[in-house]
Amino acid sequence: QTLFHNPTGGQGQFPITQNVTVVEGATANMTCRVDYNDNTSLQWSNPAQQTLFFGDKKALRDHRIELVRASWQELTIRIGDVSLSDEGQYTCSLFTMPVKTTKAFLTVLGVPGRPEITGFTKPAMEGDIITLTCTTTGSKPAANIRWFRNDKEVQGTTKMNATGKSFTVRSSLQFHVDRRDDGVAYTCSVEHVSLPNPYMTTEVLEVHYAPHLEISHSLNIPQEGQYLKLECVSRGNPIPEPVLWSKDGGELPDIERMIVEGRELTITTLNKTDNGTYRCEASNHLGTSSAEYILFVYDPNALGQHGPDHALIGGVVAVVVFITLCLIIVLGRYLARHKGTYLTHEAKGAEDAPDADTAIINAEGNHVHAEEKKEYFI
């Protein structure tokens, strides 16, 4: 940052200076010059009004302060290993009558210390409440702290305290611990104007939690003669050990065909006697867990390739029978509704006869041709 100062704007009689900003521990060059000088000396003084250099003559015994250039038009000095206490307003004086002065401000940036994270308990227990605190000291101005859970930023609570001219900054992060925090990296990032890149420190959280077991199986439809592999998949920290297998509440009945290797149980040459409930159990210092698998061994002859055809045929027959029953019921109701509403040829003849004798003759004639009699439904 550079700001040139010429208080009056006159033609060369007032000294010209510039503000300087440096990082603590670096070197600051302070320059004062005039455009026109009639052999008048220039002088630099510190914020305590102590003369540092009068022309090319060193006035203050400080090994950190050196002369860079001295002439009638310029006086440049160097302050090495700058500390926060060097910050302030410096004065360049031109010894004319009256003396003309110009101010230059030296800003010193305090570099923050590398952050430290406290509050980690190794290991943490699931269900605990823990508070992580990230601390950095010596920053000026106060540093900014950010938290990250893996790569996702999370919000902490920040406090700062002034220690002399610098600041101590603390940020805290409080949360309930669960098994999803196991192996999570918590990172504290310190950002500051004096740093080209943020300072970062990371801690990985270890969480102990009770076990949880599941059984995976190699066959969806176990059949006689096949082999079946069951695996007891366990989650827990510490890893639950050992895994114990049982069948129907007791020991495995056939150790020659039921082979246990670590977390796996392999049953060779399946048969119906293997039917039952298989259980695996494991523990760590936080608890015990178990899982069960119900085995039913199928007859391969009952699961042949024609099995689905028989099932299809049976379904079709059932549908046909259902439809037939429905038709019979409908037809029966229809006949019952129209009972007695028909006439035979005999009745028809009697109705058409002009007298009783003719009616009898017509009736007898009809009996002769009884085989031709038909009934008509109306």
Side-chain angles (χ1 to χ4, degrees), residues 188-253:
C188 170
S189 172
V190 173
E191 300 173 343
H192 194 258
V193 63
S194 67
L195 300 176
N197 297 300
Y199 284 157
M200 292 187 179
T201 186
T202 300
E203 294 282 353
V204 178
L205 186 61
E206 179 184 1
V207 180
H208 280 190
Y209 54 93
H212 174 74
L213 305 184
E214 296 177 355
I215 296 179
S216 64
H217 49 85
S218 60
L219 297 174
N220 290 327
I221 304 178
Q223 302 178 38
E224 291 182 347
Q226 293 181 325
Y227 78 90
L228 173 67
K229 180 179 289 186
L230 302 178
E231 182 180 0
C232 189
V233 181
S234 61
R235 297 178 180 85
N237 191 16
I239 297 175
E241 294 284 2
V243 171
L244 303 177
W245 285 96
S246 62
K247 180 192 177 194
D248 296 330
E251 296 182 355
L252 298 177

Side-chain angles (χ1 to χ4, degrees), residues 61-80:
R61 291 183 178 180
D62 188 335
H63 69 279
R64 299 179 305 125
I65 303 175
E66 300 175 350
L67 179 66
V68 176
R69 185 177 298 108
S71 68
W72 296 117
Q73 283 76 38
E74 178 183 340
L75 178 58
T76 299
I77 63 174
R78 176 185 297 123
I79 305 174

Side-chain angles (χ1 to χ4, degrees), residues 241-273:
E241 294 284 2
V243 171
L244 303 177
W245 285 96
S246 62
K247 180 192 177 194
D248 296 330
E251 296 182 355
L252 298 177
D254 190 344
I255 60 175
E256 292 185 358
R257 290 191 308 109
M258 299 179 177
I259 304 168
V260 176
E261 294 180 344
R263 301 178 178 277
E264 294 182 349
L265 167 62
T266 302
I267 306 174
T268 62
T269 320
L270 288 172
N271 60 60
K272 291 289 186 179
T273 64

Side-chain angles (χ1 to χ4, degrees), residues 13 15 34 37-45 51 53-55 92-101:
Q13 285 303 305
V34 290
N37 188 358
D38 51 358
N39 299 335
T40 303
S41 295
L42 292 168
Q43 172 186 291
W44 270 114
S45 302
T51 301
F53 268 89
F54 185 79
C92 178
S93 302
L94 176 63
F95 280 85
T96 58
M97 293 299 291
V99 176
K100 299 180 176 65
T101 62

